[in-house]
């Protein structure tokens, strides 16, 4: 396929899930001559500092509760303290293994890799940080995104999600700012690991954009589980607690007060031994006037596409308002030879979506079959405790569009009710009154992520409520309610 006009048929910038998939399929299945540059670890956000280590932490944080419940089931196990160091070592070994898999996939497909930063020089040229330039018929930008801190004095005293996996020891107390996926997931994770968790969210309810009833139940469960969640509250000031005796005597957890500055310094050392951010407990003041001290402040205040200093605009690539690369339905930018996929486009920041965009790009460009990316009805999960699984329209969105019936049930599931716990789960279907199609499904329950994958097939294929009901229930399960809810709870 390669000719002498360019060094490569395809040069991919970014070795995350989307970039690696596109590179190896273009090379391995279509015979393209492909190169890929990555200036960090292969695997990107998902594998190295996102989904994978986060999910391992979700698992780690769930065992303490299991031991408690087991007692009601006759087991006499005692839960000892959580050993962050042991866990982190195993987690890092697993990440090393996965990074190796990513590298092997690329070398196995004969993709040439450059372990350095790459910038766009022009429509067909990439410049590497060692000064080399490489030309390619097509360039694919798959540089992902990165966490952003709010515009607040001393914001660099806080950490962002990338830093969590580098902590040398667990804090005794943490303040999490934000109410999105990352804030809520890590609030639950740290809480499960025994950290004293406070969360401030500026809006009226966490998880904006998700179904109101579902996010209400998540918030209620998080509070029941011990998270000190405050809505309508945001951070307005922060400083090292010891700096000029800022603020009143700290009112955070007693545990916080037990941590010496030296302790805290070790908390935040990064892998190179440099302290990234704070070097002592942090005093914060909120919009409601509360003043407290925490070992660590985590900003989970969103992510931005990584487009800075990439040479994109000079090459003619258009950037959108949030800094994301503007692309058409085929992931093509304003420069026809440059495409972009994944978080860097600011479309849907989810790994499976980036992978699908990568596959569609290859199909379009290397198989000659124009394949638009389908962003409709993407199921997703929030790995809070309990989890939320969601696909399709929320009740609030659907009622704006058409007449609907809402089927919803919330109950104490057998497994934890038996163990004396009061937590509830929720199964909810939004149904079109006119077509009977299930427009949305929202599940709050343990393993909701697993459940919504299956329901996603039905919703994506536009099955009707009656077709759901034709399916025999699996008994006794929580999810049997999805096919046994006979009467709508309300219509709108
Ligand atoms: P989100 O956009 O989900 O949440 C950001 C949160 O920060 C919102 O609550 C927002 O409030 C708040 N916020 C933004 N700016 C400020 C500010 N200046 N001060 C205070 N609060 C602020 O971003 P995340 O970083 O949590 O996640 C990014 C993306 O990563 C997600 O959209 C998702 O696509 C992906 N992701 C997916 C996961 C999964 O599939 N399980 C897990 C983690 C991430 P407001 O609501 O008022 O705007």
């Amino acid at each position: 396929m390669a000719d002498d006009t360019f060094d490569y048929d395809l040069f991919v910038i970014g070795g995350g899930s989307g970039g690696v998939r596109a590179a190896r399929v273009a090379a391995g299945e279509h015979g393209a001559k492909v190169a890929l540059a990555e200036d960090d670890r292969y695997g990107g956000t998902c594998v190295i500092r996102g989904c994978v280590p986060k999910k391992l932490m979700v698992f780690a944080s769930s065992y303490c509760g299991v031991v408690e419940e087991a007692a009601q089931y006759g087991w006499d196990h005692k839960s000892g303290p959580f050993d962050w160091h042991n866990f982190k070592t195993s987690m890092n070994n697993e990440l090393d293994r996965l990074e190796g898999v990513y590298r092997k996939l690329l070398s196995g497909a004969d993709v040439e890799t450059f372990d350095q930063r790459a910038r766009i020089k022009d429509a067909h040229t990439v410049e590497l940080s060692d000064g080399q330039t490489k030309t390619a018929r097509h360039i694919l930008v798959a540089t992902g995104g990165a966490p952003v801190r709010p515009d607040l004095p001393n914001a660099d005293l806080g950490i962002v999600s990338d830093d969590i996996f580098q902590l040398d020891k667990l804090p005794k107390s943490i303040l999490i700012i934000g109410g999105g996926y990352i804030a809520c997931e890590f609030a639950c994770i740290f809480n499960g690991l025994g950290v004293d968790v406070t969360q401030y969210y500026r809006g009226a309810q966490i998880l904006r954009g998700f179904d109101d009833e579902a996010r209400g139940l998540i918030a209620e469960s998080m509070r029941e589980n011990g998270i000190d969640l405050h809505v309508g509250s945001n951070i307005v000031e922060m400083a090292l607690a010891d700096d000029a005796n800022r603020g009143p005597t700290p009112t955070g957890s007693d545990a916080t007060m037990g941590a010496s500055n030296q302790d805290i310094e070790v908390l935040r050392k990064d892998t190179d031994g440099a302290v990234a951010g704070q070097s002592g407990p942090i005093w914060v003041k909120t919009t409601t006037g509360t003043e407290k001290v925490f070992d660590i402040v985590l900003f989970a205040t969103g992510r931005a596409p990584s487009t800075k200093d990439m040479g994109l605009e000079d090459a003619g690539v258009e950037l959108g308002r949030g800094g994301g690369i503007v692309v058409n339905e085929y992931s093509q930018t304003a420069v026809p030879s440059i495409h972009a996929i994944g978080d860097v486009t600011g479309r849907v920041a989810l790994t499976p979506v980036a992978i699908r965009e990568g596959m569609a790009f290859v199909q379009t460009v290397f198989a000659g079959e124009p394949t638009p990316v389908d962003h409709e009805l993407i199921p997703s999960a929030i790995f809070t405790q309990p989890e939320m699984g969601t696909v399709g329209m929320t009740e609030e969105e659907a009622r704006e569009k058409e007449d609907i019936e809402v089927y919803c049930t919330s109950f104490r599931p057998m497994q934890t009710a038996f163990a004396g716990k009061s937590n509830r789960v929720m199964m909810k279907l939004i149904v079109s009154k006119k077509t009977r199609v299930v427009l949305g499904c929202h599940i709050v329950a343990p393993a909701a992520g697993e459940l919504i994958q299956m329901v996603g097939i039905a919703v994506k294929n536009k099955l009707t409520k009656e077709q759901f009901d034709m399916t025999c229930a699996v008994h006794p399960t929580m999810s049997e309610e999805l096919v046994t809810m006979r009467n709508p709870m309300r219509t709108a």
Side-chain angles (χ1 to χ4, degrees):
M1 176 163 226
D3 59 32
D4 291 338
T5 320
F6 299 104
D7 297 329
Y8 301 99
D9 298 311
L10 172 65
F11 198 106
V12 179
I13 306 180
S17 304
V20 167
R21 176 63 68 92
R24 74 179 176 88
V25 175
E29 294 180 17
H30 298 279
K33 188 176 181 203
V34 181
L36 183 147
E38 167 60 56
D39 66 348
D40 201 323
R41 298 183 62 186
Y42 286 70
T45 298
C46 173
V47 176
I48 304 298
R49 47 193 167 268
C51 318
V52 173
K54 181 274 306 285
K55 192 77 191 281
L56 293 173
M57 287 184 74
V58 169
F59 292 138
S61 70
S62 64
Y63 286 107
C64 185
V66 169
V67 172
E68 276 171 28
E69 285 165 28
Q72 289 298 319
Y73 283 88
W75 291 96
D76 182 18
H77 283 310
K78 295 277 170 294
S79 166
F82 173 68
D83 186 331
W84 168 252
H85 180 73
N86 269 355
F87 168 71
K88 191 179 148 191
T89 304
S90 308
M91 177 172 70
N92 282 337
N93 290 342
E94 178 60 3
L95 301 189
D96 289 347
R97 186 187 71 79
L98 290 173
E99 185 181 10
V101 169
Y102 268 68
R103 282 186 183 271
K104 226 181 208 157
L105 286 171
L106 290 170
S107 59
D110 285 330
V111 174
E112 191 177 347
T113 50
F114 297 93
D115 292 359
Q116 50 184 308
R117 188 171 163 74
R119 299 177 80 248
I120 307 252
K121 202 166 174 212
D122 62 40
H124 293 284
T125 312
V126 163
E127 185 178 26
L128 296 168
S129 50
D130 68 359
Q132 292 183 73
T133 55
K134 302 285 176 188
T135 59
R137 185 175 298 282
H138 301 281
I139 296 171
L140 180 67
V141 183
T143 47
V148 288
R149 287 179 166 80
D151 186 12
L152 177 80
N154 294 329
D156 57 351
L157 292 174
I159 64 168
V160 292
S161 58
D162 291 359
D163 303 320
I164 292 170
F165 313 109
Q166 308 294 342
L167 291 174
D168 271 3
K169 82 189 209 195
L170 275 187
K172 289 177 179 153
S173 66
I174 188 166
L175 169 64
I176 298 179
I177 307 293
Y181 278 85
I182 294 179
C184 295
E185 290 183 341
F186 277 104
C188 294
I189 288 170
F190 280 114
N191 185 53
L193 295 179
V195 177
D196 191 357
V197 179
T198 303
Q199 184 179 353
Y200 292 150
Y201 172 55
R202 63 184 179 183
Q205 183 56 286
I206 55 168
L207 298 171
R208 183 165 62 82
F210 291 91
D211 186 86
D212 275 356
E213 222 164 357
R215 60 197 190 125
L217 182 52
I218 295 282
E220 183 187 310
S221 307
M222 286 171 67
R223 289 193 177 103
E224 269 178 18
N225 292 342
I227 295 165
D228 187 16
L229 168 63
H230 299 259
V231 294
S233 184
N234 202 0
I235 188 170
V236 281
E237 272 186 76
M238 67 190 295
L240 285 177
D242 281 355
D243 266 5
N245 294 322
R246 276 311 287 270
T249 307
T251 53
S253 68
D254 290 345
T256 307
M257 303 315 301
S260 70
N261 272 7
Q262 207 180 4
D263 281 343
I264 304 296
E265 249 176 68
V266 224
L267 286 173
R268 303 267 4 278
K269 279 193 181 154
D270 67 23
T271 41
D272 299 316
V275 176
Q278 74 186 54
S279 57
I282 299 175
W283 166 87
V284 302
K285 189 172 177 183
T286 70
T287 42
T288 54
T290 310
E291 298 182 43
K292 283 196 176 185
V293 168
F294 301 91
D295 284 352
I296 283 188
V297 175
L298 167 67
F299 287 114
T301 45
R303 296 175 57 84
S306 295
T307 49
K308 272 201 194 117
D309 194 27
M310 286 284 302
L312 290 160
E313 283 163 300
D314 289 345
V317 173
E318 190 191 336
L319 300 186
R321 272 201 321 153
I325 297 178
V326 177
V327 289
N328 67 14
E329 58 188 327
Y330 302 106
S331 298
Q332 190 176 39
T333 71
V335 181
S337 58
I338 302 178
H339 288 69
I341 56 164
D343 293 8
V344 75
T345 63
R347 288 180 284 186
V348 181
L350 295 172
T351 301
V353 177
I355 290 172
R356 292 176 81 92
E357 289 168 357
M359 296 294 282
F361 156 76
V362 171
Q363 201 63 15
T364 302
V365 172
F366 292 97
E369 289 171 21
T371 307
V373 188
D374 179 6
H375 288 115
E376 287 298 307
L377 293 168
I378 297 168
S380 73
I382 308 170
F383 295 100
T384 41
Q385 291 164 13
E387 294 176 9
M388 187 200 298
T390 178
V391 61
M393 279 192 254
T394 64
E395 179 179 342
E396 296 70 39
E397 283 166 345
R399 63 166 74 205
E400 290 292 308
K401 298 215 162 85
E402 58 180 293
D403 292 341
I404 54 165
E405 289 179 352
V406 177
Y407 295 81
C408 187
T409 176
S410 182
F411 54 95
R412 292 170 69 204
M414 184 199 278
Q415 187 178 4
T416 45
F418 180 82
K421 295 208 165 163
S422 59
N423 55 298
R424 289 184 300 124
V425 298
M426 188 194 91
M427 306 282 155
K428 180 169 182 177
L429 295 176
I430 315 296
V431 177
S432 163
K433 248 186 180 172
K434 189 168 162 211
T435 64
R436 308 299 301 153
V437 166
V438 176
L439 303 170
C441 174
H442 311 282
I443 301 175
V444 177
E450 303 290 343
L451 299 177
I452 206 69
Q453 180 67 80
M454 296 295 110
V455 185
I457 300 170
V459 174
K460 178 76 183 165
N461 284 285
K462 304 200 175 347
L463 296 197
T464 61
K465 174 71 170 70
E466 284 63 36
Q467 286 169 310
F468 269 61
D469 293 350
M470 276 163 54
T471 311
C472 188
V474 178
H475 184 73
T477 63
M478 295 177 291
S479 53
E480 65 181 301
E481 300 290 336
L482 291 170
V483 295
T484 56
M485 290 185 280
R486 293 280 163 251
N487 301 310
M489 176 181 260
R490 56 186 168 269
T491 55

